[in-house]
Amino acid sequence: MLLTHATLATMSDGYGLIRDAAVALDCDRVAWTGPMADLPATYRSLPETDCAGRLVTPGLIDCHTHAVHAGHRAAEFEARLKGASYAEIARAGGGILSTVTATRAATEDELLASALPRIHQMIAAGATTIEVKSGYGLTVGDELKMLRAARRISRELRVSVVTTHLAAHAIPPEYTGRAEAYIAEVAIPSLHAAHGEGLVDAVDAFCETIAFSPAELESLFAEARALGLPVKLHAEQLSDQTGAAFAARHGALSVDHLEYLSPNGIKAMASAGTVAVILPGAFYTLRETQVPPIAALRAAGVVMAVATDLNPGSSPLASLPLAMNMACTLFRLTPEEALLGTTAHAARALGLADRGRISPGLRADLCIWDATHPAELSYRIGATPLHARIFGGRLDA
Ligand code: DI6
Ligand code: FE
């Protein structure tokens, strides 16, 4: 296939904008990109899709979601509007644990069926790769069930799925006050079982006063690394627990949230090459006031990614373009940083070298937008200007 007359944002070196560009695809890979005038003769006979000046970007990558889960938490949304806080609801046994109850009661088929409409919305907003975490099962069997359901998504819909083991997401009621026993008896055994089934691409945990401390997570991260699996961490979302420095010490691919990130944490992430994943949907939903230290991250050269954090509690958000808009308006990212954050930098947060930019040899996952400048994707609020999507070298039907 040959795309012609595109306004191309290759996302190599910033936007990497090429006007009146062509992109030649060979099966599921990009074969050539450049100005129309330079198109080699060999590609001129390929079946042509005229983009008529439309913006073409890499397919969007959502590098942090909890898209597989049962039920919803609209009642908590109402409770928060009446004054309850996210942490209070969690301590009273609601929050993550109410989704755990629902997820334990669901079958693998039910989990898959309830996730598909959400994934469909993400795809309709431009996603071609989605990370999905476990973390609402909190038993060996229920964590495996979630990861198996997540892996089945890519057999049902045209999207790549990356799966993350997040058994260390919350302490289930049967382990109240016994975080270390939970890690030893459930989190680590479920990691071994899931890895044995080929269900794990990375290992994540929630580091917070209402979840786990760095000390409690040490053995889990050591185990992940012994299995050759990369780690990442939910850290400094509601308070500074020095999670970022801990994760960086384990060579984390990313540390996510980061509202309360300290200068020390920034330094550790910069020297480890850890990506900062910012999640403005959770900040917005919980009406947080402490903004992540974006200017300091930028100054330290820490690469930033942007994701939806799609989950039933703190971020019921399925649109990456809306996450980009929030990242700009709430956190003052530039539109260029926001688009890098859902393409090239999101790929880095997942350890994927074969996507996130438009360049020969990389995957042919592309979005064609009803837009002519890449800043339009961040600028519109709640719009989905997707004109067409190409996944693995083929246009969606
Ligand atoms: N932080 C989050 O934003 C999600 N998990 C986490 O550790 C929220 C999960 C939920 O509220 O269900
Ligand atoms: Fe999350």
Side-chain angles (χ1 to χ4, degrees), residues 64 66 133 234 257 279 309 311:
H64 181 141
H66 308 252
K133 302 176 193 295
H234 287 68
H257 284 289
L279 303 168
D309 195 15
N311 75 67

Side-chain angles (χ1 to χ4, degrees), residues 33-100:
T33 84
M36 286 291 293
D38 300 345
L39 181 66
T42 38
Y43 299 121
R44 290 199 186 153
S45 54
L46 290 173
E48 181 181 335
T49 298
D50 186 346
C51 297
R54 288 188 185 89
L55 172 69
V56 175
T57 69
L60 302 186
I61 298 172
D62 199 335
C63 65
H64 181 141
T65 91
H66 308 252
V68 168
H69 58 259
H72 66 79
R73 309 231 293 273
E76 262 173 43
F77 175 62
E78 291 187 313
R80 283 199 307 274
L81 285 166
K82 289 182 187 146
S85 78
Y86 182 73
E88 278 161 12
I89 291 169
R91 275 188 222 105
I96 291 174
L97 291 180
S98 74
T99 301
V100 170

Side-chain angles (χ1 to χ4, degrees), residues 171 175 177-186 212-213 215-217 219:
I171 300 161
Y175 280 93
R178 296 190 298 132
E180 266 156 8
Y182 174 76
I183 295 290
E185 293 165 20
V186 179
F212 300 91
S213 68
E216 288 160 353
L217 294 170
S219 57

Side-chain angles (χ1 to χ4, degrees), residues 1 28 31 47 82 89 106 119 121 124 135 150 157 160 163 186 188 209 223 254 277 288 333 335 338 342 365 394:
M1 188 198 304
D28 66 346
K82 289 182 187 146
I89 291 169
I119 307 290
Q121 283 176 35
L157 297 172
S160 297
T163 50
V186 179
I188 290 175
T209 53
E223 207 67 42
S254 73
V277 178
E288 295 292 324
L333 262 71
T342 55
D365 293 342
R394 284 194 298 123

